[in-house]
């Protein structure tokens, strides 16, 4: 296997490990447990779940895989803090969307070659990318991998 | 730049971003604030700081960069839970070690070529690596990057 393919495979494996950890953590929790805050006065688990779905969903166009599946999640889970906007969704609704969006990403990742991972992501213009060639798809992917790990670390604090 | 070098550069940049975030978070905190728990009954910030130093220190031999700088941190910060073993170190002592170990890693990372990143890490034997070729240095590095992000996410919860 080429070095670049080994590096990409490893990065996607690392992502998948954390997705699976998240899935296990969310699946273990009842609707009541999803209402718990990760620390007093901080986000509830259900908000973090919705937030991760929305951010992962936004990766689809950002990595030029596809259009978003759930743009309506931005208002309750990204542009507003926890409890500010009612999403109307249960924990179970969100668990299904979590699986759907991560499945769409998994398929999308598999279709990107190592070289394509180093092409620009969709939030940087062709002109800006010439000046800042590190703003590629792999860079965004790493950033979202860390974002995922960060929030999973918070969820682990729930009793 | 080659694709594999671009992937490595991006991964190290992502690591550095999180190291800097950690440094800023720790530097902002007084000795008293470092004693705070990230959530009631959970680890204190100072334990997480010591834990991250010890885990990063262990990366030095694991990536075959050098011997460890601070093996004595394992007992208070890795093999035992928070408050079980007194380290005898102040927050300020730990902040200095945090900088030292991350500096040693930074220099070490720069000396590893993309191809070398895909060679075995030091906790896997030559024989096992032949059967499981994904257990390479880059894989360990990604795992520790996620570990860092996970704990930084917890520290963000401190008021």
């Amino acid at each position: 296997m080429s070095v670049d393919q080994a590096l990409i495979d490893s990065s996607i494996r690392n992502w998948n490990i954390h997705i699976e950890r998240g899935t296990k953590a969310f699946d273990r929790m009842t609707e009541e447990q999803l209402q718990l805050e990760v620390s007093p006065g901080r986000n509830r688990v259900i908000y973090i779940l919705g937030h991760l779905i929305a951010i992962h969903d936004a990766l689809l166009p950002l990595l030029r895989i596809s259009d978003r599946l759930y743009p309506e999640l931005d208002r309750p889970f990204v542009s507003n803090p926890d409890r500010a906007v009612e999403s109307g969704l249960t924990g179970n609704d969100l668990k299904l969307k979590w699986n759907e969006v991560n499945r769409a990403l998994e398929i999308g990742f598999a279709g990107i070659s190592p070289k394509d991972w180093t092409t620009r992501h969709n939030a940087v213009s062709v002109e800006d990318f010439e000046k800042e060639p590190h703003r590629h798809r792999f860079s965004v992917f790493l950033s979202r991998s860390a974002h995922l790990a960060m929030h999973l670390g918070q969820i682990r604090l729930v009793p």
Side-chain angles (χ1 to χ4, degrees), chain A:
Chain A
M1 188 192 293
S2 64
V3 169
D4 51 13
Q5 188 67 58
L7 298 173
I8 292 296
D9 286 0
S10 191
S11 307
I12 294 175
R13 190 179 306 108
N14 183 60
W15 169 273
N16 287 338
I17 286 169
H18 289 86
I19 293 294
E20 283 163 30
R21 280 186 197 163
T23 303
K24 276 186 191 164
F26 296 129
D27 282 353
R28 251 195 312 263
M29 296 178 117
T30 62
E31 293 286 343
E32 288 69 36
Q33 288 170 320
L34 288 168
Q35 297 294 326
L36 294 171
E37 295 171 335
V38 295
S39 189
R42 299 288 170 164
N43 293 328
R44 292 171 302 160
V45 177
I46 197 166
Y47 180 82
I48 293 178
L49 171 55
H51 177 72
L52 285 173
I53 298 166
I55 295 295
H56 291 190
D57 191 46
L59 262 182
L60 291 168
L62 201 51
L63 296 179
R64 291 187 273 125
I65 293 171
S66 71
D67 287 338
R68 295 188 61 164
L69 302 176
Y70 313 117
E72 69 277 10
L73 296 187
D74 272 8
R75 231 184 117 245
F77 295 116
V78 180
S79 43
N80 287 286
D82 192 11
R83 301 179 197 270
V85 174
E86 183 48 60
S87 74
L89 298 166
T90 65
N92 213 41
D93 294 334
L94 288 171
K95 288 177 192 178
L96 292 172
K97 290 184 198 301
W98 163 261
N99 288 331
E100 286 299 319
V101 74
N102 291 323
R103 177 77 186 134
L105 284 170
E106 189 182 350
I107 294 167
F109 294 161
I112 304 176
S113 73
K115 187 169 171 37
D116 281 349
W117 275 108
T118 64
T119 58
R120 76 183 173 86
H121 62 68
N122 216 29
V124 61
S125 69
V126 173
E127 297 73 41
D128 286 348
F129 186 62
E130 274 182 27
K131 286 175 257 170
E132 300 174 292
H134 61 276
R135 298 177 67 185
H136 45 61
R137 298 200 263 188
F138 188 64
S139 165
V140 167
F141 173 67
L142 289 176
S143 166
R144 295 307 180 274
S145 299
H147 177 262
L148 169 60
M150 190 189 75
H151 285 299
L152 293 181
Q154 296 175 333
I155 288 166
R156 280 174 55 165
L157 301 174
V158 173

